[in-house]
Structure formats: C-alpha cells, structure tokens
Amino acid sequence: MGQPVKRIIIRILKYSGIGVVAVLALLFLLPIVFPGKIAQEVKTFANQHLNGKLNFKKAHLSFFRHFPSLTLSLTDFSLTGSTPYKDETLLSANEIAFGIDVKKLIFYNKININKIIIADALINVKVDAQGAANYNVYKADSSSNSTGTDSANTSLRLEKIVIKNSRLSYDDQSAKILITANGINYTGNGDLNKSVFDLYTEAGIEDFNLTYDGEQYLKNKKVNASLITKINTNSLAFVFEKNDLKINKLPVEFKGKFDFLSNGYDLDFSAKSTNSSLNDFFTALPPAYVTWLDKAKVKGTTDLIFSLKGKYIAAQNQAPDMAFAMKIRDGFVNYSEAPIAASNIFLNFETRLPQLNPEKLSVNIDSIFFNVGSDYVKAIIKTNGLSKPNIDARVDAAIDLAKMSRSFGLPAIDLRGLLNAKINTKGMYDRDKHIIPATNGTVSFKNGYIKTPYYPNAITDMDVMLSLEDKTGTMKDLKLNLAPASFNFEGKPVYIKASLSNFENIVYDIEAKGELDLARIYKVFSTKGLELEGLIKADLSLKGSQQDAMKGNYHQLQNKGTLQLRNIQTTSQYLPKPFVIKDGLFTFNQDKMNFTNFRAVYGQSDFTMNGYMQNVIDFMLTDIAVLKGNFNINSNYINVDEFRQGATVDTSSKQTTAAGTGVAIVPPNFDLQLNALVNKIDFEELKIENLRGNLVINKGRVQLQQSGFDLIGCRVNMDVTYANKSTQTAAFDFKVKADSFDVSRAYKEVKMFREMATAAKDAQGIISLNYQVAGVLDENMQPIYPSLTGGGTLSVKKVKLKGYKLFNIVGGKTGKDAIKNPDLSEVKINTKIKNNVIEVERFKFKVAGFRPRIEGKTSFDGKLAIKMRLGLPPLGIIGIPLTVTGTQDNPKVKIGKKTDELPETEYDEDVPKPSQTTEPAKQ
C-alpha cells in the first residue's frame, strides 16, 4: 500500500510542478510571443475610434504590473480633445494599462480589452461658452450591434475601470462652473461591453473644490462615494440610481440622470440629506465657515434638498430649473463659550429659480426664529421676482446685538445696541409705476456702536427711531418719520430729524446738524481703496411741500440754514465722469439755495459759480422735480469732449479721446440759466477763447445765446441750440457770424471749415462768414450730412487760390492760363444746404480781364454739377459756356450748357445711420 501511495504523490507533485512551470512559462512567453501584435492592434483600434491625437512613450506587455491580468501598459500617455480644444490635452497619465482577455487571445487569436487602469493622471475637461466640449473624442461604431460582437481582431469589452491617485479639472464656461479634484481613487465594475449597463463604483476624493460664477463654494472637501450608475453608451447618458455620498461629515443621497447633448446637457438631479447633524452641515460649507466651526459649539438637525432639472444649451439660451430647500430644527450655536448661546433656532427655507432666470426667482422663508436668552428674532419673508418683486414679509425682533454677535461669533465686527423692530409689508415693488408694498412698521435702535477692523475708531452713540406707513401701496400714501437719528463719529455729533409724506407731491420737514467726513466713515466698512470722499457740514431746517414750491407759494416754505460741501464726488447717469465739488457753501432761504464762490471740477474742466438754485429739496427727494437756477459761471478751461458718453482722457498728454459711444446727454429735469465767462474751451479740434454768453439749459435742451468768442484770431458771434434725441443722436442748430478771418488759418484749425471748404487748402486771404446750419449729430458727435439744412453767405476779399483743380482744368480746356491761380476780390458766394447737396447761387468775379460766372450744385460726397461761363475780355459780352461734372478730386470740364442733376439723399430719422468713419469728400 505504501508504495502506490508514494507513486501517486510523486505524480501529483510532478504534474503540479509541470503545470506551475507551464503557467510561469506562459506568463513570460505570452508577452514575448504577442507584444508587437497586441501593441499594434491596440494602437490601430485607438486610431479608428478616437478623434483626438493619442501619444505614448513606451508600451509594456506583462502579467506582473497588474497581476494576475495580462496588461498592455502605455507610459507617458497623452490624448488631446475634440474641437474646439483639439490642440489641448484631455487626458495625460504616467501610465494607462489595458487588461487583455487571455482566453480569447490564446484560443481565438483575438485581443479583447476588458479592463482599463489609469494611474497618476490629469483629466482636463473643458466646455466653451457655446457649450462645445473637448470630451467628444470617441467615434461610435455604427456597424456594431447591441450584443457587442465585433468581427475585427480587437474589441473593447470593459468590465472594470480603475483610477489611482489622479487629478480632475472641469472648466465649463457655459455654466460658469469650475471643479478641481485631487487625490481621486476610483474603482468601477460592470458589464461594460453592453450598450446599456450598470456601473458599480467606489470612489474617494481627498481634495474637492467647486467655484460657480467666480465665487468659491466648496474648498478642500473630502468626498467618499458608493454609487450605482446606469450608463447608455449609445446616447452617452447616465442614470444615477443609488448613490451615497459623504462630503466631509455630511451624508448626502444623490439620484438623477445626465445626458450629454451635442451642444449641451440634459439634467435631472436631486440631492438630499435628511435628519443630519447641523454641525456636519457646516463642515461641508466654504472654508470661512469651517474655521468658524472650530470655535463654535453647534447642535441641531437639518434637512437639505437640491434639484436641477432641464436642458442646458447655452447657444439656444435654454437653462434648467433649480430648487433648494433647507430646514433646521432645535438649532443651538455657542461661539467661543459665549455667556449666552443662540438657541431654539428654527428655519423653513425654500427657493426656486425656473430656467435659471433671476426675474423668476422665488424665495420663501416660511419662518425663521431664534432666541438669545430672552431676546428673540422671528420673521416670515416671501418674494417672487427680482426687478419688480412681489413681497410678503413680517419681521419681529427684540434683540441685544452685542449678545447676538457674541453667541454667533460675527466675524471681526464689534456690534452693540438694542434693536426693536416690527415690520409688516405686502405687495409689489415697481419703481417705474410708483408702486410699493403696503407697509406698516417701526424700527428702534438705541445705544448703538459699530467698530470694524478696517478703521481704528467706532461709530458710537447711535440712536434711531424710524416709522413707516403705507396703507394703500402707493407713493402718495407713503409716510416716513425719522425722529430722531443721531450718532457720534470722530468726536463730532451728527443729528437728523425727518418727516416725509406723499412721495408723489412730497411734504417734508427735515432738520440736520453736524459734520461728517465721508472718506473716514467709508473706511469703517471697507478694506478697499478710497472710493468715496468728501466733507459735509450741515445746519439745516427744511419744511414745506413740493406743491407750494411748484406753484410759487414761497411764503408757505420754511427753509433755512447752511450746507457746506468739500471734495464731494457726485455721479450721474448722464455724465461719464464724476463731478467733484471742491468747495461749496450753500445758504437755504425758502425755495432757494444760494451759493457763493462755489468751486467744482469735472475731469480737466474747472468751474466757479455764484448764484442760486430753486426747488432743490424736491429735486433731491424725487426723480420728477425740476431743478431751477440762475447763476454766473467762470472757468479757466472747459473740455467739452469730456461730457460725452464714453469719453476717455490721456492724462499724460491731457488730451481727450472720444470713444464714439454716444453724444453728450442733457439732463431733462434742469431749468438753469448761466451767464458764462470762459477763458478757453476745447471742442474736438476747436480752440475757443474768451467766451462770453448766456447759456440756458431747459427740458433737455441747451441754448447758447448772444455769445461771442475769439477763434483763429477773429471775433465770432454765435447762437447754438443743442438737444440729444437719444444716447446716440443729437439735434443742433447754430448761427455763426465771423468777420475778416484768415482763410489759411481757418483751414488749419477748424475741422468743419476743412470739411466744407477743402478747396481752401492752398488759399490765402481774408474771408467773412454769415451762416446758419441745423442737423443731426451721430454717436461720434459728427454731423449726419443728409440731415443738414441751412445756408448763408461767404464773402471773400483779396483771396488767392492756388492749385485748385477746377480752375486748372478750366484754364487748360480754354487755353487761358491766367485763370489757373486766380486772385479774387470782393466776391460774395451764397449757398444753401439740403439733402446732402450744397447749392451755389450764381456769382461773378474778375480775374486778369476775364469775367467768370459760376453756379450749380456739389454734394458732400464730392460730386459736381457746376455751370460756368467764361466771359472774354474786354467786357465779357462774349463768353464760353462750360459744364463741370465728376468729383472734386477728378473734375471733368466740357464746353456746353447741359449738365446732369445731382442725386439728393433725404434724411430719415427712423432709419438707423451707420457711424461715419470717413471724412466727407472735398468741396
């Protein structure tokens, strides 16, 4: 018996040894026998099925890299993305390994990839603003059927995906989402060879970050997930059936679907965390709250629900619906062992954002409540809409802010005072229609104190008593009483008492006394650079009504006191730059506000004013009141271009450049009369000096009357009317009379003269002008030529014309060289402008014994239709008839009387005009 048993054992060991040796031999021989075939087949397969560029340094076939699988490992692997990111990396990795089905390799000589292992990789997903993504690199095989059969030698039959220690960057510009994740470890198992399969996933992320629209919401969060995902490879769709996440300590249940579209996504997500710890909730919040949590004791439970459903297609302006809800029960917060904790915290919060449209935003705080000792805050707030919201709110608070600040640990702010508030408001807010919610409420703040780390001194002794009442929800019924409001800042007390009612025809009773440094008080609340500055010193008592001011019942007004301003910057929707009041002392007397030596600057322009304004109180309190005034204005320098919409200034050269984005806007609610005395004015290329005139600004119109100024060495009298029709066009009408100016200097220094009389380029002599032109200016403050109408007289005296093509050609055509460079004396030329055409009335002159006579038309685009008669010596009785056509640059002169009519261009203000980027043709 012993001998047979011994032989059996020996045989078993022998065959086992042979088997082991055979397996080991196979492990070594297969990579040697098949390496070229496998590497080439995988590469061929990749090139057939991928749109991106695939590169790797080396290929290794081995059983031992990822034992016991036979794997083809590609080192230093990279794959570029699809259009529009075809030159940027989609995936790079130290190693990507493809698992090979050994059975099919040996018995069927086929290479089946059933496993992918990615190690130390960067996954770089990008989506542009139009929704085009870089991950669309896989080319689907339309010939393959649902069973996954493949007649080729190589196929993809994945059963497992492994990602080790990798990084993810997801930058979606269309959705304004940026996600970065580090330390990703992922294992996914499933029958991936089917077109629809379940993927079982275990994943962990050491460092997860989420930024939306430039604001970071999650930073350095640790995420663990156990997921079941149904994947449809035909449509590239994902269904998240059962997914348990943990963000830091907060457990989250996640379900939904995600379909990739050619130009966007189709989403249906829902995430919830029920009956979770309030403390765990704070661990999942942005870093500032986690730091706060380190010093706070937090208790209570919370429920969170989030959903996002719909298509997101940026190019078609489609967006999903978003909703979020949160509940807190039995909340408790005690920061840094404060003597009194915030307790009984209760919250029901819900918000919806249909189609991610802010105008459809709804917020429902069904209730919020908490105690700090016996103090409390409770509120119900509901809103629907954004620019014109429907509001339903009730607020009731009796709280010591110092206790509340300590219990919640409000960061870096020392806030004290007793706040009592009871406010009820319900209805729509529509500023344009003067509709506000019906409101009834009072706010009391006593012994207030605010100190921030941004400024060393506090605002102290704050006392505010405010009441609001509006029963009907109209501006007419609104009543506001501030009785009183006072505080102390930098050792200077400020006191305000105000009673305002009927905001459609305002009745006011205001008292203000104190001094306030705006720059310093701004620093109390901001760490940014100085954005607001100025000093206000007031001792005012204002009482009256808008109706009495408008009807002239000034005896009913009781306005008196002084208001001193220094270095105040004011901005307006009508002006592109701030208007800075350097120094101004205002004295109030009934409806008037008088000012003496009021100094201001606007850009490079400076102003000193003396006079008065009327209706100031109504103008400051409402947006429909008209500001009236009459004053003298003196200035050393005014740069008109700075008042244009979109103007910019090169401070190094002190030159203003018009950006061409709009005309100068005249506020419609001004009724001002100014007597102006300005030493120098720049308007584009015009250099105006010693301006004297009366300026009237009324109902959006500016009129310069009986004005005189020095220009190009002569005295010019001018009347101007200007009114903007919109932000892009303006109407103007000006009359100008200038006696005896130098034509050569006018051509060099006056742009409009160059444009309308380009023939004067080489002229010399004296000219007088009496002209009127009206028309429309475009967004570049340039005239729209078809809109121009007007006419006048140009008088020439001792003018020499040189090199004027028209006279050169006439001289050559007639053989009369004497008229090529004529000297003109005592000639008056009358012209009319209409429909882009300048009509020249008949005029005569003498030159070298000849008596030329000229009449006809020329257009702003340079076309000519001129009739001439060249009277011959001695008396001009016999003459040569000529016609001139063509253009100023290329005039065509023929002997004869017949000429064509010039086409006219009528101006239609309803048709948008393109910007005039070129100068008009020479005239």
Side-chain angles (χ1 to χ4, degrees), residues 75-87:
T75 60
D76 295 337
F77 177 92
S78 68
L79 174 65
T80 60
S82 57
T83 304
Y85 299 100
K86 60 182 181 180
D87 295 326

Side-chain angles (χ1 to χ4, degrees), residues 663-862:
V663 297
I665 305 296
V666 183
N669 53 346
F670 280 8
D671 183 4
L672 305 174
Q673 297 186 34
L674 299 85
N675 300 310
L677 176 59
V678 184
N679 293 335
K680 183 179 178 181
I681 297 176
D682 280 351
F683 174 51
E684 293 191 343
E685 294 183 4
L686 285 179
K687 306 293 183 182
I688 299 172
E689 297 178 344
N690 301 319
L691 173 67
R692 307 288 188 276
N694 299 319
L695 185 68
V696 177
I697 305 175
N698 188 20
K699 297 180 180 179
R701 181 184 296 268
V702 176
Q703 291 179 294
L704 184 62
Q705 302 171 339
Q706 300 176 357
S707 65
F709 54 86
D710 295 330
L711 180 67
I712 59 173
C714 73
R715 191 64 181 171
V716 179
N717 295 311
M718 181 182 289
D719 290 345
V720 179
T721 299
Y722 173 92
N724 57 281
K725 301 161 71 69
S726 68
T727 61
Q728 301 299 307
T729 60
F732 73 96
D733 185 346
F734 79 86
K735 300 176 183 178
V736 61
K737 185 176 181 181
D739 290 326
S740 303
F741 63 86
D742 187 301
V743 63
S744 177
R745 186 174 176 183
Y747 185 88
K748 292 178 181 178
E749 299 182 22
V750 181
K751 183 178 181 181
M752 182 171 284
F753 186 83
R754 288 199 303 273
E755 292 175 348
M756 300 183 68
T758 53
K761 179 179 180 181
D762 297 312
Q764 296 178 356
I766 303 300
I767 290 181
S768 296
L769 182 66
N770 189 352
Y771 221 87
Q772 178 179 1
V773 177
V776 177
L777 301 175
D778 65 14
E779 70 272 18
N780 296 309
M781 292 289 280
Q782 298 297 316
I784 300 173
Y785 293 103
S787 74
L788 299 181
T789 60
T793 301
L794 179 69
S795 301
V796 300
K797 184 177 182 181
K798 298 179 181 179
V799 172
K800 295 181 179 180
L801 294 178
K802 182 180 179 181
Y804 187 29
K805 287 185 178 181
L806 176 59
F807 286 110
N808 288 341
I809 294 176
V810 170
K813 195 75 175 178
T814 59
K816 312 298 181 182
D817 291 339
I819 65 171
K820 288 187 176 181
N821 297 302
D823 293 346
L824 307 182
S825 300
E826 301 295 338
V827 178
K828 291 187 177 180
I829 304 173
N830 296 314
T831 61
K832 297 179 181 178
I833 300 174
K834 187 178 182 181
N835 295 338
N836 204 45
V837 172
I838 304 172
E839 182 180 354
V840 182
E841 296 181 4
R842 180 180 293 183
F843 68 94
K844 303 176 183 179
F845 58 94
K846 297 179 183 179
V847 54
F850 294 91
R851 296 174 183 263
R853 185 182 73 194
I854 300 176
E855 62 185 302
K857 296 179 180 180
T858 179
S859 66
F860 280 106
D861 52 10

Side-chain angles (χ1 to χ4, degrees), residues 34 37 101-111 152-153:
F34 294 99
K37 174 181 175 59
D101 188 324
V102 176
K103 180 180 178 181
K104 289 192 175 182
L105 178 64
I106 296 174
F107 296 104
Y108 299 100
N109 196 29
K110 286 190 176 183
I111 299 170
N153 289 329

